[in-house]
Amino acid sequence: MTQADRNEPRRRNASKLFYGTEPFVDDLPAQGDWHGGTVRSRIAHGRLIRLKFSPEFDWSQVVVVTAADIPGKNLVVCHEEDQPSLCDGTIRHYGEPLALIAAPDGELLHKALRAVEPVVEPLPAVFDPFESLKGETRIFGKDNLFLEIPISKGHAAKQFASCDVVVETNHFTPAQEHAYLETQGMRATLEGNGVRIEGSMQCPYYLVAGVARLLGIPETDVRVSAMQTGGGFGGKEDFPTMLAGHAALLARKCGRPVRMIYSRSEDMAATTKRHPAWIRRKTGLSRAGQFLAMELDVVLDGGAYATLSPFVLSRAALHAVGPYRCDHVSICARAVATNHPPNGGFRGFGCPQVHFATETHIEACAEKLGVDPVELRRMNLMKPGDAMPFGQLLGPGTYPGVVLDEALHRSRFEERRAEIEAKNRTSERRTDSGDFEKRGIGLAMFMHGTGLNAYWEKSVRSRVRLAATAEGQVCVLTAQAEFGQGTLTALAKIAAESIGLADSDILIDHPDTALVPDSGPTVASRTVSIVGSLIHEAASRLRQHIEERAGLAAIYDPRRLKAAIASCVSGGDSMVFEAEYSPTDDTDDANTWAPPNAYPAYALGCCVAEVKIDTLTGEIGVVDVHMICDAGAVVCHRLATNQVFGGAVQGIGWALTEKLAWNESGGMRNASLSDYAIPSAADVPEIHAHFLDDQHSERYRYPIGLGELPMEGPGPAIANAVAMATGRRPRRLPISPEWIVCSQGPEES
Amino acid sequence: MKIQMNVNGQERILDVPPLRRLIDILREDMGLVAAKIGCGEGECGACNVLVDGEAVSACLIPAVQIDGCRIVTLEGLATSNDDALAALHGAFLEHDASQCGACIPGIVMTCRGMFDDLRNRRPSEAEVRGLLAGHLCRCTGYEAIVRGILKWLEMKSEP
């Protein structure tokens, strides 16, 4: 029996998705909705003097909203209060929203948008974070620094002197577009004293807070219903707060429902990207290969507003050394403001960047020492009880070395490597036989702490609710959105198993804040881990209650249990059970960004990738990928395996084809799916996914987050494979055919 | 302009601007929303429908080109007791081929459009990947979709 063949519930809405009948926001019937659009800046930095409305256009047919129409605070609610919902006089990035227009139909809307001309006074713009740090162009605060996180353990600077070998490398990882297939979309309707929002999102309660603040109304007057959401990947974490606010402002002004659906080009140009990262890594080693000292600089381009940059930076800093042991570490991590559109959350959330640096740097260390990079990793991998640079000890059962061994075994890594080495020796460039192919195999370790970091997870105070019905079924009420990860299926399964009911007797739907408590955002691989554990807790209480009520020691038959629940509810028992997140350990409340016990558990992974390279054209093909994941208990194997496939392919795209080009104003130049190349089915090989879930170990009793993990391995694994094939180490992604064929290419960034 | 077309078996006469996109006619004018808009430039295949039996991206087809055509959308297929569609449904469910679902209706139409070509030969995995190259999916990594299609064709080639 393969892992995916286990008897598991099918994806709950699979049939509706297949037939296209599970509605996305733009599938809702027209209902007299007006169409909303956004007037955007075309410069990166400057002052908005005024908006010039063409007299040729009949403005009585449409409504226009500017910052002056905002009844509450002109703000996109997030951590820093720096981002206006509509331009407040200063333009800080290309595509910044200046005004909003709603019209009865899409065609008229586009005519109106074209009839507005922003009159601006440009200011010098800065797109390079290192330039920005010089402070000549002011974007954020006094120094354009959103946040600096220093982490220090031991005495790294001193320790380097006593190292046998010191290796220093620079790395760059690029911006990445989420390219969820459904663009951002939102619908706002006036309801009672307030507003109802329906749309594409990951975090319904973020929208409640954001819209209430913007409109100056109580949060209880904002109702948010998440629709089926066509992919998120972090791109629908913070941005929908802005879009919901815009739709609400327009609905309020025109007194009708307003629908705002971004076109693909607007979505790509205006919404967040993965943070570009510049990482310098310096490691001192003993002759035998032990990591003795490490120094790391991480710089993220945050774009013009802070949005989620502090959170991404925190995760990058906490994962910066990877799953390796080192007693003397100095990390300086900074998120810097530039005049790019804001960068935000994207699957992996800072981890892909630092793991790329770590896993390609280690290969350079191995080369310098003349040792096998696999052995160098094995020698330095952490074991349970080893301390991370910020003080957390790796938890029981967490064995990166076991994950590495499993990956070597399943991919036949050493055998393949030897075969490829032999083959590469015989196929020289431009041989008579016309053989221009070189192959390479590479691997990378990666890890991902589950949930928000301890400080923030605690501050969310997530709550879930279970409510039984008179039919003996149980409703699972959480704020977790469904955007393809299988939230509804996985959370229902956790409830069914914890209560002891059949899966079909669990009711769960897309979250509506009128009905569900705030169980926190659908981010950070926290859905099955954190929210799932709360459901388990509430479910256990429900079960205990019913057993006591029914006067039974234990009910094992799901049908008897269902009947007992039904009779309890019919007898007037409300049967509502809640659970609230309360961390067991007392985390230092002052340590927002690097709390000592940052994450309750770490998921681990190892990726092995094999590439073939045409040395004549520079074409790079990925021919084989193995993904070994250790994410604790796997709730639904079939869904989890498919998550791994999807994450791996996103990682392949990031590594090879997804090159973001900027225009002179710092906006995305290739803002279309024709010009920004995400992988197609023909571009990727069959992927092999395997989970470690040894049922005998405590670690595998509960799920650890999985959603983000698989994105983090392919980038560095492919880079290491390319290095083997070409003899040159890629220090930046994406790795282009031009770099392959151009011997003078930028090996060092 | 006035155009005449057959949509899901019904003759329709519409008065539409000549450059109005077929996808807007279907989604906005007729409320047939199974086809999704992913990119609006024929790159992602999410809006694929059958025009005279062939799967095409409805975002690229102006009204003027569909005068006299026979259009079948997923809504039409779903209500026509189509055995091949039912079998594909089973195979996709078994492999959990849909994640967010935005790309799937378009892929279903492409598969259905190719069915007559495919039924007599067994395409390899690589060929199936090639046939899917006109579609973009950001969730699945294509693996479950490819396996689902291979399974579907296996089922159909049995007597």
Side-chain angles (χ1 to χ4, degrees):
Chain A
M1 187 170 75
T2 69
Q3 289 182 325
D5 290 338
R6 295 172 204 207
N7 187 21
E8 288 184 347
R10 297 242 161 104
R11 185 178 292 269
R12 288 209 151 211
N13 52 359
S15 269
K16 288 165 83 182
L17 295 172
F18 179 89
Y19 289 113
T21 54
E22 177 78 298
F24 298 90
V25 60
D26 199 28
D27 295 343
L28 290 171
Q31 304 165 74
D33 291 11
W34 278 31
H35 297 245
T38 312
V39 179
R40 299 184 181 278
S41 74
R42 289 191 286 273
I43 61 165
H45 195 198
R47 271 183 267 283
L48 177 64
I49 310 298
R50 66 190 174 88
L51 294 166
K52 207 165 84 187
F53 293 90
S54 165
E56 313 280 295
F57 187 82
D58 175 7
W59 292 97
S60 70
Q61 313 168 85
V62 302
V63 299
V64 178
V65 164
T66 65
D69 294 302
I70 294 173
K73 197 163 161 64
N74 183 7
L75 180 71
V76 181
V77 171
C78 203
H79 177 65
E80 294 283 353
E81 301 205 334
D82 63 333
Q83 186 178 23
S85 177
L86 290 171
C87 179
D88 56 1
T90 304
I91 293 165
R92 295 182 184 84
H93 67 85
Y94 178 88
E96 183 152 6
L98 309 179
L100 306 166
I101 299 176
D105 65 74
E107 207 176 319
L108 190 63
L109 172 67
H110 285 107
K111 281 185 189 147
L113 288 168
R114 281 197 299 271
V116 189
E117 185 62 38
V119 180
V120 298
E121 184 188 307
L123 291 167
V126 60
F127 303 120
D128 177 305
F130 297 94
E131 278 299 310
S132 174
L133 283 171
K134 293 177 187 164
E136 285 159 23
T137 300
R138 184 77 66 83
I139 304 165
F140 178 88
K142 289 193 192 84
D143 49 11
N144 292 343
L145 191 59
F146 287 129
L147 182 66
E148 177 169 336
I149 302 173
I151 294 173
S152 172
K153 173 190 178 189
H155 308 280
K158 229 164 68 186
Q159 196 66 27
F160 278 111
S162 55
C163 295
D164 297 321
V165 171
V166 176
V167 178
E168 188 171 345
T169 52
N170 289 294
H171 311 262
F172 170 78
T173 63
Q176 185 180 23
E177 160 60 32
H178 302 86
Y180 30 66
L181 252 280
E182 181 214 21
T183 56
Q184 304 262 359
M186 211 61 74
R187 177 173 188 263
T189 318
L190 301 178
E191 200 175 75
N193 295 325
V195 64
R196 164 101 185 264
I197 302 288
E198 296 159 284
S200 184
M201 69 189 77
Q202 295 180 220
C203 313
Y205 273 94
Y206 283 5
L207 275 61
V208 170
V211 172
R213 196 88 187 274
L214 187 71
L215 297 188
I217 59 177
E219 291 191 358
T220 45
D221 285 341
V222 180
R223 175 180 173 189
V224 176
S225 312
M227 307 284 301
Q228 174 71 20
T229 290
F233 316 115
K236 292 173 182 169
E237 176 170 356
D238 61 319
F239 195 88
T241 308
M242 175 185 267
L243 187 54
H246 289 172
L249 287 169
L250 283 171
R252 188 179 155 274
K253 182 96 179 240
C254 72
R256 297 162 188 278
V258 169
R259 187 182 296 209
M260 295 185 80
I261 310 292
Y262 283 0
S263 69
R264 180 59 62 182
S265 58
E266 180 174 25
D267 190 294
M268 290 176 106
T271 70
T272 61
K273 306 279 171 279
R274 182 186 301 288
H275 288 78
W278 290 258
I279 300 170
R280 184 182 67 87
R281 232 181 174 290
K282 182 177 165 187
T283 300
L285 303 95
S286 70
R287 185 79 57 210
Q290 195 189 350
F291 295 157
L292 298 177
M294 280 185 190
E295 203 174 83
L296 297 101
D297 284 316
V298 179
V299 171
L300 301 183
D301 176 354
Y305 297 106
T307 66
L308 297 168
S309 289
F311 300 89
V312 175
L313 187 75
S314 167
R315 186 172 284 277
L318 294 169
H319 292 76
V321 302
Y324 301 99
R325 210 171 30 238
C326 186
D327 289 335
H328 302 275
V329 179
S330 170
I331 300 167
C332 175
R334 290 172 292 175
V336 180
T338 68
N339 291 112
H340 281 305
N343 292 311
F346 194 149
R347 193 180 208 167
F349 213 76
C351 282
Q353 293 95 320
V354 294
H355 292 326
F356 174 77
T358 299
E359 293 298 314
T360 55
H361 173 78
I362 283 179
E363 302 262 328
C365 293
E367 188 178 56
K368 185 90 177 265
L369 272 176
V371 300
D372 180 347
V374 174
E375 286 315 309
L376 186 65
R377 284 185 178 86
R378 201 195 305 280
M379 191 186 306
N380 290 286
L381 281 172
M382 283 194 291
K383 294 186 180 66
D386 284 342
M388 291 179 243
F390 50 93
Q392 183 165 17
L393 305 184
L394 198 65
T398 313
Y399 288 100
V402 172
V403 178
L404 174 64
D405 286 340
E406 188 72 24
L408 295 173
H409 166 68
R410 289 193 171 263
S411 65
R412 297 169 48 240
F413 181 84
E414 276 153 356
E415 215 177 316
R416 272 308 289 156
R417 187 169 62 175
E419 286 165 11
I420 291 168
E421 261 167 12
K423 174 91 180 6
N424 281 353
R425 271 198 294 275
T426 60
S427 80
E428 290 302 324
R429 196 182 159 120
R430 292 174 191 276
T431 55
D432 293 339
S433 64
D435 185 359
F436 300 116
E437 184 183 290
K438 294 271 193 194
R439 290 209 175 206
I441 188 167
L443 67 75
M445 299 291 301
F446 45 102
M447 68 191 290
H448 196 94
T450 196
L452 307 172
N453 88 31
Y455 175 89
W456 292 104
E457 197 59 71
K458 191 170 161 182
S459 71
V460 171
R461 306 174 75 87
S462 298
R463 279 188 304 126
V464 306
R465 187 180 304 140
L466 300 181
T469 70
E471 289 73 40
Q473 297 182 308
V474 173
C475 302
V476 176
L477 300 165
T478 81
Q480 266 41 60
E482 170 67 60
F483 39 96
Q485 353 77 300
T487 298
L488 303 181
T489 312
L491 293 185
K493 180 164 185 263
I494 291 171
E497 285 179 355
S498 305
I499 299 168
L501 279 175
D503 200 75
S504 55
D505 286 321
I506 301 297
L507 308 175
I508 187 166
D509 204 349
H510 298 290
D512 177 339
T513 60
L515 305 171
V516 301
D518 185 359
S519 51
T522 318
V523 303
S525 310
R526 67 188 290 282
T527 297
V528 298
S529 56
I530 307 287
V531 180
S533 74
L534 295 178
I535 290 174
H536 177 71
E537 193 183 320
S540 305
R541 248 182 254 148
L542 185 150
R543 190 184 163 96
Q544 196 185 347
H545 179 88
I546 205 77
E547 285 175 353
E548 282 167 16
R549 273 309 183 88
L552 297 166
I555 306 173
Y556 295 109
D557 176 17
R559 280 165 304 179
R560 279 186 64 202
L561 186 63
K562 185 179 175 183
I565 293 171
S567 99
C568 236
V569 175
S570 305
D573 192 332
S574 75
M575 289 288 286
V576 174
F577 295 86
E578 291 204 350
E580 183 173 323
Y581 185 75
S582 54
T584 43
D585 63 280
D586 210 11
T587 307
D588 181 5
D589 281 351
N591 207 333
T592 318
W593 305 112
N597 285 310
Y599 300 102
Y602 290 81
L604 303 170
C606 182
C607 171
V608 176
E610 184 175 326
V611 301
K612 67 171 182 196
I613 288 174
D614 184 320
T615 54
L616 186 65
T617 64
E619 188 185 350
I620 309 164
V622 181
V623 294
D624 198 17
V625 174
H626 287 264
M627 299 287 297
I628 310 301
C629 296
D630 173 356
V634 176
V635 179
C636 301
H637 266 91
R638 196 184 290 108
L639 271 63
T641 304
N642 288 342
Q643 278 265 62
V644 173
F645 295 147
V649 168
Q650 250 173 4
I652 293 171
W654 187 56
L656 294 178
T657 61
E658 297 185 28
K659 189 175 173 68
L660 226 136
W662 306 104
N663 62 27
E664 66 286 356
S665 300
M668 186 173 179
R669 196 173 60 193
N670 51 343
S672 77
L673 287 175
S674 309
D675 295 327
Y676 179 84
I678 67 170
S680 79
D683 299 325
V684 293
E686 184 183 359
I687 292 162
H688 310 274
H690 180 78
F691 290 101
L692 294 182
D693 61 348
D694 171 6
Q695 305 295 321
H696 303 297
S697 159
E698 175 73 16
R699 175 171 165 89
Y700 303 103
R701 284 189 58 202
Y702 300 103
I704 301 168
L706 173 70
E708 294 168 274
L709 188 75
M711 162 68 219
E712 300 170 9
I718 289 170
N720 290 336
V722 167
M724 180 182 174
T726 62
R728 296 158 66 221
R729 297 197 177 285
R731 295 277 186 246
R732 52 164 60 221
L733 298 179
I735 307 163
S736 65
E738 290 83 354
W739 183 83
I740 298 288
V741 294
C742 171
S743 57
Q744 305 301 314
E747 185 147 17
E748 297 288 335
S749 54
Chain B
M1 68 178 286
K2 275 211 166 59
I3 58 166
Q4 186 182 2
M5 56 180 186
N6 182 301
V7 181
N8 296 334
Q10 288 192 318
E11 291 298 329
R12 306 289 295 255
I13 295 171
L14 294 171
D15 192 6
V16 290
L19 292 182
R20 187 159 175 78
R21 306 183 303 177
L22 174 57
I23 189 64
D24 299 325
I25 294 172
L26 294 173
R27 287 180 56 87
E28 293 183 19
D29 304 345
M30 298 184 169
L32 297 169
V33 295
K36 314 301 179 193
I37 301 175
C39 67
E41 55 181 2
E43 190 68 29
C44 76
C47 65
N48 279 13
V49 297
L50 300 180
V51 176
D52 292 339
E54 201 178 325
V56 293
S57 293
C59 71
L60 291 181
I61 313 281
V64 63
Q65 273 186 12
I66 47 169
D67 191 23
C69 288
R70 193 167 50 85
I71 315 286
V72 178
T73 70
L74 189 44
E75 287 93 342
L77 272 188
T79 52
S80 64
N81 294 321
D82 184 293
D83 289 343
L85 184 76
L88 183 63
H89 175 249
F92 270 25
L93 252 57
E94 184 183 331
H95 287 274
D96 185 42
S98 316
Q99 287 191 25
C100 85
C103 70
I104 292 296
I107 290 175
V108 169
M109 296 311 284
T110 295
C111 289
R112 187 60 190 83
M114 295 188 304
F115 176 63
D116 291 332
D117 279 347
L118 296 177
R119 68 196 309 178
N120 296 321
R121 63 187 175 106
R122 266 199 200 184
S124 67
E125 191 210 315
E127 283 174 285
V128 168
R129 287 181 179 275
L131 295 169
L132 281 174
H135 289 274
L136 292 175
C137 165
R138 193 57 155 170
C139 297
T140 65
Y142 306 101
E143 193 68 48
I145 296 172
V146 171
R147 290 182 194 183
I149 292 172
L150 288 169
K151 172 79 185 183
W152 173 56
L153 294 171
E154 219 172 84
M155 290 162 28
K156 289 315 294 183
S157 63
E158 285 161 13

